[in-house]
Amino acid sequence: MIEVEHLTKYYGEVRGIEDISFKIGKGEIVGFLGPNGSGKTTTMRILVCYMPATSGKARIAGFDVESRSMEVRKKIGYLPEHPPLYNEMTVRSYLGFVGRLRGLDRKQAREGIERVAHTCSLDEVIDRMIGHLSKGFRQRVGLAQALIHNPELLVLDEPTIGLDPKQNAEIRSLIKSLAGSHTIILSTHILPEVALTCERVIVIHQGRIAADARLEEFTRGQDLEQAFLKLIGAEELEKKRCE
Amino acid sequence: MRVIGAIFWKELKGYFLSPVAYVVLTGFTAISGWLFYQLLNYFLRITNIVSGYMVKGQIMREWTIADDIMGPLYKNLSLFLIILVPGVTMRLFSEEKKLKTEELLLTAPIRMGQVVLGKYLASVVLLFLMLIPVGVYMSLILYYGSEPDLGTVLSGYLGLFLVAFSLAAIGIFASSLTENQIIAFFVCAVIGLLFFSVGLAARSVGVVSIFSRQLDLGELLRQLSLFEHYSHIVAGRIQLTDPVFFLLIIIFFLFASRINAESARWS
C-alpha cells in the first residue's frame, strides 16, 4: 500500500527527516511514535501530498506522491494535528463540503454523511454549528471528514491529543473498528495509545527511523515505555533525574 | 465546476452567516442613497437658477444629468469601494491560514486555481448585490429625467462593476499574503489607492529619457491609473484599452493569488 524510500526533507538548513524508508501493507494499523519535533508530522505531510520531499520517493497504491499527486489524494483521508474545521458551518454542511471537494456527487455525499455520522457517533450534533461543539466532538468531526469518501488509507496526526480519558477511549475504539477495511497510519507521542491500537510501531527520532517492528517484538519482555526510552536514549536522563 | 461550485456556495453562505454581508449591503445602500439624493437635490436647485456652466455671462457647458448627477455619483462611489471591497475579501484566504483549514484544501484532490476562482466568484456576487441599489437610482433618472444620455449613464454603471471586481481580485491577493485579516484589509486598500492615484503624478512627469531612449512616463502612469480608465468609462468615452485594463488587473491578481495560496507547500 505504502512504499517509502530514502525520504528526506530539509526546511532550509533545518533537518525535518532524513533517509526514511518503510513499507506498509494493506489493512495494517501502524503507529508513528516519537517525541515532539521528531519528524512524524513531516513524514505524514509528504505522504498526503501537502508538501514535496527534498529527496527520496514515496508511493501510495503504486502512485508517486509527487508526479501522480491527484490520484494519491483521492485515496487518502487525512486528519491534521489541528482538525481543519470551519466554525460557522454546521456539521452536516461541513461534511457535505468536504465530500464535494473529495469528488463525491450530491447523492454520494449524502450517503457519506449518513455513514460517517453513524460511525463517528455524530448523529446528535449533525445540525449543530461546529464552533459550538466540545473538543471531543470537534475531533470526531475531524475524523468523520477524513472518512467521508471511504478512503483506502487513513492518515491521522495525533488523533487523541487534548482529549479527556473517556473521549480518548472512544476515539481509540473507533480507530480499531476501522481496521481491516482501511490502512491506517497514526502518529502519537503517547505510548499506551500505540499499545492499545496499533499492530506495528515505527519509532522516529531526530528525523530518522529508530525502530520498525511489530508491537510484540518491539516490547519483548520489557514494557513499551522502557523500550521507547531506551531507543531514544532518554534512559540516562531518566536515571539522572531519579538520583 | 463541482469544486468551484462547492467553494463558491460555502463562501457565499459564509458571508450571509456572518454580519459581513448585512453590514456591507446596508452600509453601501445608505451611503449611495444619501449621495444620490444630495447630487439630485443640488442639480435641481442649480438648474433653476442657471442652465449651464457660465463664464463671463456665456454658458460654456449645459448641466446634464449624465455629467452632473450620475458622473459624480459613480466617481465618489468608486472611492467608497476602496474601503468596502477589502472588507469583503479580507477573510477569504487569511481565515483559512489562521484556522489551518488550508491544510484541507491543499491535500484534497483539487487545484488551487479552482479554490481561488470559487472564492472570487462569491465575493463578486456579493459586490453585485451591493451595487444593485445604484441601478435603481439610475433607472429613476432614466425614467424621469428629460432626455438623459443613456449610453453614458449605462457605461458609468458598468464601470462601477469593473472597479469593484478589480478591487476584489486585489483583495483576494492581499488575503492570500497573510493570516492577519487587518493586514489583508490594508494591503488591499493601499494597492487600490495606488492604482487610483498613480495618474495624479502623470501631470508632473513628462517625457524622460532612459538609456538614451525617449519614454513618455506621464502617459505610462496614466495608462496604469485605474481612475483614469474609469473616468473614460464614466464620461462615456470608452476605448478598448479601458475594459482590457480592468480585465488584466483581475487576471493578474487572481493568478498571483493562486501562486500565493500554494506557497504553504514551499516551507
Side-chain angles (χ1 to χ4, degrees):
Chain A
M1 186 71 193
I2 307 174
E3 296 155 75
V4 174
E5 289 161 19
H6 310 293
L7 211 58
T8 301
K9 172 78 188 176
Y10 276 83
Y11 298 98
E13 296 285 294
V14 183
R15 185 181 64 189
I17 52 173
E18 188 152 354
D19 198 22
I20 288 209
S21 305
F22 58 80
K23 271 186 189 160
I24 294 175
K26 215 171 164 60
E28 273 190 279
I29 305 189
V30 179
F32 279 0
L33 190 60
N36 288 331
S38 57
K40 305 185 297 278
T41 299
T42 303
T43 313
M44 289 184 151
R45 282 183 160 177
I46 294 169
L47 289 180
V48 299
C49 310
Y50 178 76
M51 57 188 181
T54 311
S55 67
K57 281 231 169 304
R59 272 190 302 276
I60 287 172
F63 296 112
D64 187 272
V65 291
E66 233 170 294
S67 58
R68 306 294 298 279
S69 156
M70 283 296 166
E71 274 88 353
V72 172
R73 291 190 225 173
K74 278 179 196 154
K75 296 189 184 305
I76 289 180
Y78 174 45
L79 172 63
E81 202 175 337
H82 305 271
L85 305 175
Y86 297 100
N87 290 331
E88 77 279 4
M89 291 176 110
T90 63
V91 175
R92 189 191 296 277
S93 57
Y94 171 71
L95 292 176
F97 172 68
V98 177
R100 303 286 285 159
L101 292 190
R102 291 287 180 186
L104 306 182
D105 63 29
R106 271 173 216 290
K107 185 161 164 281
Q108 289 170 323
R110 259 200 307 277
E111 287 164 3
I113 294 170
E114 292 295 316
R115 183 171 47 79
V116 295
H118 182 70
T119 33
C120 301
S121 322
L122 287 169
D123 290 307
E124 51 178 308
V125 297
I126 192 82
D127 287 313
R128 298 252 309 267
M129 251 165 69
I130 293 175
H132 295 163
L133 297 182
S134 68
K135 179 127 193 168
F137 271 120
R138 290 172 68 86
Q139 198 69 21
R140 275 193 252 172
V141 176
L143 199 55
Q145 160 278 129
L147 284 166
I148 186 88
H149 54 303
N150 208 3
E152 293 173 38
L153 172 64
L154 257 184
V155 179
L156 311 173
D157 198 352
E158 313 225 344
T160 56
I161 198 163
L163 299 181
D164 68 35
K166 181 169 168 285
Q167 294 166 335
N168 210 323
E170 282 167 4
I171 293 276
R172 263 202 312 266
S173 66
L174 179 55
I175 292 171
K176 280 207 110 155
S177 73
L178 295 169
S181 51
H182 305 266
T183 310
I184 302 174
I185 306 178
L186 63 90
S187 79
T188 179
H189 58 263
I190 304 160
L191 296 168
E193 193 169 299
V194 181
L196 287 170
T197 40
C198 304
E199 303 156 347
R200 183 175 150 200
V201 191
I202 295 177
V203 180
I204 301 179
H205 180 48
Q206 290 178 349
R208 288 170 183 280
I209 290 190
D212 178 357
R214 303 199 64 77
L215 194 67
E216 315 88 73
E217 299 164 29
F218 181 63
T219 48
R220 201 174 303 161
Q222 54 197 342
D223 74 15
L224 186 63
E225 189 159 354
Q226 278 173 353
F228 177 65
L229 290 175
K230 198 153 135 199
L231 262 172
I232 66 169
E235 211 180 28
E236 298 299 312
L237 244 154
E238 196 74 0
K239 265 185 199 153
K240 269 184 201 145
R241 217 175 57 203
C242 292
E243 289 160 14
Chain B
M1 271 328 278
R2 170 181 47 79
V3 174
I4 297 176
I7 303 266
F8 168 78
W9 283 114
K10 181 202 148 259
E11 295 298 342
L12 196 62
K13 278 181 199 155
Y15 279 134
F16 285 92
L17 288 173
S18 69
V20 178
Y22 307 101
V23 170
V24 166
L25 292 177
T26 41
F28 192 78
T29 308
I31 291 172
S32 59
W34 178 77
L35 199 65
F36 174 67
Y37 173 74
Q38 290 302 325
L39 285 163
L40 185 65
N41 204 10
Y42 180 75
F43 182 80
L44 291 177
R45 271 195 294 149
I46 203 156
T47 44
N48 275 338
I49 303 165
V50 58
S51 63
Y53 180 66
M54 292 229 288
V55 178
K56 287 181 187 162
Q58 267 208 317
I59 290 175
M60 310 295 288
R61 186 174 71 77
E62 300 240 335
W63 307 123
T64 66
I65 286 171
D67 291 346
D68 297 287
I69 300 180
M70 297 316 282
L73 178 69
Y74 292 144
K75 283 191 178 173
N76 287 329
L77 289 182
S78 72
L79 293 174
F80 294 143
L81 289 179
I82 298 185
I83 304 294
L84 285 173
V85 177
V88 168
T89 55
M90 63 183 185
R91 61 178 265 280
L92 289 175
F93 273 103
S94 300
E95 202 174 55
E96 306 265 4
K97 286 177 194 285
K98 183 127 201 162
L99 298 176
K100 311 227 188 272
T101 44
E102 62 174 354
E103 208 158 341
L104 173 71
L105 300 177
L106 286 165
T107 56
I110 57 177
R111 297 185 190 286
M112 228 42 199
Q114 298 173 312
V115 177
V116 171
L117 224 65
K119 284 174 183 283
Y120 178 65
L121 290 178
S123 67
V124 157
V125 166
L126 182 64
L127 293 174
F128 182 86
L129 294 176
M130 184 179 95
L131 290 173
I132 284 179
V134 182
V136 175
Y137 315 144
M138 188 187 71
S139 318
L140 285 174
I141 284 287
L142 291 178
Y143 189 75
Y144 291 108
S146 53
E147 296 170 25
D149 184 349
L150 181 70
T152 309
V153 171
L154 274 178
S155 79
Y157 188 39
L158 288 179
L160 203 57
F161 283 104
L162 287 179
V163 171
F165 298 165
S166 311
L167 285 171
I170 295 173
I172 287 203
F173 168 74
S175 183
S176 70
L177 288 172
T178 167
E179 63 166 59
N180 187 325
Q181 294 194 23
I182 297 167
I183 294 176
F185 178 93
F186 280 108
V187 168
C188 174
V190 166
I191 297 179
L193 279 172
L194 255 173
F195 270 114
F196 263 81
S197 58
V198 68
L200 296 177
R203 276 172 224 164
S204 55
V205 289
V207 179
V208 291
S209 84
I210 295 171
F211 298 122
S212 70
R213 294 182 75 177
Q214 297 290 312
L215 177 72
D216 190 348
L217 197 59
E219 181 58 24
L220 184 71
L221 290 180
R222 245 194 301 279
Q223 288 297 332
L224 277 177
S225 164
L226 194 147
F227 198 65
E228 197 78 22
H229 289 283
Y230 181 55
S231 299
H232 292 168
I233 297 179
V234 169
R237 290 182 278 111
I238 308 184
Q239 299 162 339
L240 184 63
T241 46
D242 302 327
V244 168
F245 171 80
F246 288 105
L247 213 62
L248 283 179
I249 287 214
I250 293 170
I251 292 171
F252 174 81
F253 280 102
L254 289 185
F255 200 73
S257 314
R258 204 210 77 184
I259 293 171
N260 253 332
E262 291 260 5
S263 67
R265 295 187 200 279
W266 307 338
S267 60

